[in-house]
Amino acid sequence: MRHVTVDEAKTMFDELITLVREGETVVLTEGGVSVVELKAPRAPRKPIDMEALKRDLAELRASMPTFTAEELAEFRREGQKG
C-alpha cells in the first residue's frame, strides 16, 4: 500500500492509476490523515446459470429417498426416545 499526499497525487495521477491497475492500493493523505483510498474494483461476479441450477436441484431431489408421512412420524418418535 502506497501513501501519497493529495498535492503529490495531482502531479503523478497517471502513475497512480497505473499502480492501481496493477493491483496496488494507493492512499491519499492530507496533513498526515488518510482521506481517499484508490484501489481496483473487484472482479465482476459470474452470472448464475439458473437453468443449470434447476437441473442440479432436480437431480439432487431425484437421488434422495422419499418417505411417507407415517415414516416421517416414526422417525420423529424414534428421535424423541433417544
Side-chain angles (χ1 to χ4, degrees):
M1 185 178 306
R2 179 180 290 203
H3 289 75
V4 178
T5 68
V6 171
D7 289 335
E8 291 172 322
K10 291 176 184 177
T11 64
M12 56 188 293
F13 189 72
D14 290 341
E15 179 185 342
L16 297 177
I17 295 301
T18 299
L19 290 170
V20 170
R21 283 186 176 143
E22 292 172 353
E24 187 165 348
T25 298
V26 177
V27 177
L28 304 185
T29 62
E30 267 185 333
V33 177
S34 299
V35 292
V36 176
E37 189 173 281
L38 302 175
K39 58 184 174 180
R42 286 188 245 151
R45 295 173 69 178
K46 292 182 181 178
I48 296 172
D49 183 346
M50 291 303 292
E51 293 307 313
L53 187 58
K54 288 176 186 177
R55 283 191 306 273
D56 292 347
L57 182 57
E59 288 176 21
L60 177 63
R61 285 182 174 157
S63 71
M64 297 174 69
T66 57
F67 300 102
T68 65
E70 292 80 22
E71 289 172 320
L72 292 174
E74 180 61 27
F75 293 148
R76 185 172 181 199
R77 283 190 293 277
E78 289 174 7
Q80 289 175 349
K81 291 178 187 176

